[in-house]
Amino acid sequence: MSVEIPAVCVEGIEKSFGSLSVLKGLGLTAHSGDVVTLIGSSGSGKSTFLRCINLLEQPDGGTITINGELVRTRQDRNGKWQPADRRQVERIRSKVGMVFQNFNLWPHMTVLQNIVEAPVHVLKIPRQQAEEEAHALLRKVGLADKPGHYPSQLSGGQQQRAAIARTLAMKPRLLLFDEPTSALDPELVGEVLRVIRQLAEEGNTMIIVTHEMQFAREVSSEIMFLHQGRVEEKGAPEIIFKEAKSARLRQFLARAAGGPGAD
Amino acid sequence: MELIQLSMPLLLSGLLLTLKISIFAVVIGFFIGLGLAIARISGSFMLAAFSQGYSSVFRGTPLMVQLFLFYYGLGQLSFIRDSALAWWVIGDGVRCAILVLALNSAAYTSEILRGGFMSVPKGALEAARACGMSKWLQFRRIEFPIAMRQALPAYGNEVILTLKGSSLASTIAVLEITGHAKRLMSQTFAVIEVFAMAGAIYLFINVVMIVLLRLTERSLMRHMAA
């Protein structure tokens, strides 16, 4: 084993909403180039867990280390955990890209403006350079002819591909995908998965929450099955899909295979 | 014809004052209103309560009552008269009218902008946070521009109402369009002619304003076109 620093190392994450405990000590380690997929039924906590990694949700406990940098936290007067240093959180977020279920493009900006916004204003890249890179990214996601379009003028699949380009424009070290195809019409899922698959093949480090089991099986280096805020089982795709130990996981996979969205 | 020759120059000189009062009131009112709207959605109980109270008081009382309270009411108080700055504002009809109109417009503007802020999609803000934007950058680049676009039609209305509200400055002896019209009326007794001209001038400015607002709206709302 080398002593390489993991791209992301998350340990003992806990999160409650009111009296409802959603995450009960979840952890995850991903090295550079790993593709970790989180699966599980709705309510298992997989999206919340993903959102904790870039602190869109503030966990109530646990540690998050990105590229060896520990996110410092402190407790406020009410005993709630808060980031100790906003600047650190902002800096880390700028290196961790997030792709959302509902795309979340900025509606008042064109596709090109969406893509260059954060590189220009957060990373302070010269606009011209950012625009050149944006055009290259648009070609990569198959939207070379759409830089001047507004999000409302695009299909769901095109919006999600634009959102992926926006995320890539920050040159993130880690990519988080929160059910990237769940809001799409079935015929548009393929075009988005193709882009994500390409990113996996290029060696990006990614954590993906998805219901697309066949896709998870093909791109993942590791699959984690969550159940009620805990890791029920994890392992390489072949093991998860062929030799799952957990009865719950086998049942979940059988149901997923029978339902829509399965291969 | 003679009447027009006599009245028009006076009414047009009043137009300049009407524009001055309205522009200052709208600009100052916008920034106070923006502050109040942010206070309202800040999540702080004290700030929100203040903003709500302010808005209730200024929306719940007639503009003319506010104008009299400030001009005649505050003007009687000795500490206002003794304070150079306060008296500079309150002691002068035009400046007092600007202040009251601005404070009044701020109340309505705050409600309009609050609606705009509440309509900003949560996901758009989340995406801004997720790529490392600071609170201020998020506000400046994402939250405010989206809110303003939502609020624009209602805000345009508020601008027009403020311009028309400026006619009440005539009640505290300010000679803007309506002030001159009143004076001309008592000199010439040509009520219909004078006020028809005054009305036509207001109509003209407002039509120009409506066109400008429509153009702004069109250029800012391109993203809504299918």
Side-chain angles (χ1 to χ4, degrees):
Chain A
M1 288 298 283
S2 66
V3 285
E4 180 206 5
I5 298 168
V8 53
C9 178
V10 183
E11 285 171 329
I13 294 293
E14 290 168 25
K15 176 75 187 172
S16 308
F17 293 108
S19 60
L20 180 71
S21 169
V22 185
L23 304 179
K24 300 161 187 162
L26 277 176
L28 173 160
T29 302
H31 289 87
S32 180
D34 282 357
V35 177
V36 179
T37 306
L38 307 176
I39 60 173
S41 47
S42 55
S44 59
K46 50 195 191 311
S47 280
T48 307
F49 181 48
L50 192 75
R51 291 163 56 81
C52 281
I53 296 176
N54 69 351
L55 294 149
L56 283 180
E57 299 287 354
Q58 176 63 46
D60 303 326
T63 60
I64 298 163
T65 313
I66 310 268
N67 285 312
E69 182 178 354
L70 178 74
V71 179
R72 292 188 300 278
T73 51
R74 62 177 174 80
Q75 272 179 303
D76 67 11
R77 273 173 299 175
N78 306 321
K80 274 190 67 177
W81 288 97
Q82 298 287 345
D85 179 1
R86 294 234 150 262
R87 289 265 167 76
Q88 185 198 27
V89 172
E90 283 159 14
R91 192 177 66 243
I92 287 176
R93 278 179 183 156
S94 72
K95 293 181 202 157
V96 178
M98 177 106 172
V99 174
F100 298 89
Q101 180 175 353
N102 294 311
F103 334 131
N104 295 351
L105 289 167
W106 297 308
H108 59 304
M109 297 180 181
T110 63
V111 168
L112 186 72
Q113 288 167 338
N114 263 280
I115 297 175
V116 302
E117 180 65 23
V120 168
H121 288 102
V122 177
L123 301 182
K124 313 281 184 206
I125 291 175
R127 180 169 293 271
Q128 203 194 340
Q129 185 193 339
E131 286 186 358
E132 281 165 19
E133 290 171 3
H135 284 294
L137 286 170
L138 282 173
R139 277 194 296 280
K140 179 174 185 162
V141 299
L143 292 173
D145 53 339
K146 305 280 186 208
H149 284 59
Y150 286 94
S152 63
Q153 298 165 325
L154 301 178
S155 74
Q158 290 170 332
Q159 287 189 51
Q160 190 61 298
R161 285 184 282 143
I164 291 173
R166 174 178 68 174
T167 304
L168 293 175
M170 295 294 282
K171 303 193 177 70
R173 306 252 195 95
L174 172 66
L175 281 164
L176 308 177
F177 290 87
D178 187 7
E179 303 199 27
T181 59
S182 294
L184 296 175
D185 291 338
E187 73 269 23
L188 301 177
V189 168
E191 61 187 68
V192 172
L193 291 186
R194 253 195 307 283
V195 171
I196 301 176
R197 187 190 311 260
Q198 191 192 341
L199 295 176
E201 284 162 4
E202 287 169 5
N204 288 288
T205 316
M206 325 207 299
I207 303 175
I208 307 174
V209 170
T210 185
H211 292 289
E212 299 288 333
M213 289 306 141
Q214 186 57 35
F215 174 73
R217 185 173 185 167
E218 288 165 18
V219 303
S220 309
S221 48
E222 182 177 36
I223 294 181
M224 294 173 65
F225 174 64
L226 305 193
H227 180 72
Q228 293 183 350
R230 288 199 178 85
V231 180
E232 173 98 355
E233 186 162 352
K234 64 176 179 175
E238 314 84 70
I239 302 201
I240 291 286
F241 279 89
K242 291 199 179 118
E243 306 159 27
K245 287 193 268 314
S246 153
R248 259 198 214 102
L249 172 55
R250 284 199 302 271
Q251 201 182 5
F252 173 80
L253 289 173
R255 230 177 318 149
D263 191 29
Chain B
M1 210 50 217
E2 231 172 274
L3 187 68
I4 296 182
Q5 275 174 355
L6 168 76
S7 321
M8 231 12 174
L10 286 171
L11 291 177
L12 288 177
S13 74
L15 167 65
L16 286 181
L17 200 50
T18 291
L19 287 178
K20 179 181 164 190
I21 295 173
S22 309
I23 291 170
F24 274 106
V26 164
V27 171
I28 298 170
F30 176 81
F31 285 103
I32 301 176
L34 180 60
L36 289 167
I38 293 170
R40 187 74 171 272
I41 56 170
S42 65
S44 148
F45 176 79
M46 293 294 284
L47 287 175
F50 171 78
S51 172
Q52 197 163 0
Y54 178 97
S55 157
S56 303
V57 168
F58 275 91
R59 292 191 307 152
T61 53
L63 181 55
M64 195 150 102
V65 170
Q66 295 162 15
L67 211 50
F68 278 27
L69 271 175
F70 273 77
Y71 188 66
Y72 297 119
L74 292 184
Q76 285 185 344
L77 303 176
S78 59
F79 69 90
I80 298 279
R81 286 172 165 277
D82 293 342
S83 150
L85 178 66
W87 187 242
W88 183 76
V89 178
I90 302 294
D92 176 78
V94 174
R95 288 193 279 265
C96 187
I98 290 174
L99 173 71
V100 173
L101 262 177
L103 293 177
N104 186 277
S105 172
Y108 289 94
T109 303
S110 76
E111 298 289 334
I112 292 166
L113 293 182
R114 181 174 71 102
F117 281 119
M118 291 194 310
S119 76
V120 175
K122 229 179 114 241
L125 297 180
E126 215 158 63
R129 266 196 291 157
C131 61
M133 288 195 189
S134 65
K135 273 243 154 40
W136 165 238
L137 191 59
Q138 256 179 70
F139 179 80
R140 191 164 63 83
R141 299 291 307 173
I142 311 294
E143 196 170 11
F144 180 71
I146 296 177
M148 205 52 221
R149 281 166 171 79
Q150 280 303 328
L152 199 60
Y155 183 67
N157 218 11
E158 172 54 26
V159 172
I160 287 167
L161 287 173
T162 303
L163 192 127
K164 290 192 292 183
S166 73
S167 69
L168 282 177
S170 65
T171 61
I172 54 170
V174 172
L175 287 175
E176 37 67 80
I177 298 174
T178 308
H180 272 298
K182 273 166 139 178
R183 190 183 263 192
L184 281 164
M185 174 183 72
S186 52
Q187 286 166 357
T188 65
F189 302 106
V191 183
I192 294 182
E193 292 85 341
V194 168
F195 276 96
M197 275 188 272
I201 296 176
Y202 280 112
L203 180 62
F204 175 74
I205 324 172
N206 277 328
V207 167
V208 170
M209 197 107 81
I210 289 167
V211 170
L212 287 177
L213 283 164
R214 188 71 44 84
L215 290 176
T216 318
E217 223 172 284
R218 196 174 296 169
S219 85
L220 286 180
M221 299 306 257
R222 272 170 307 189
H223 66 289
M224 296 301 281

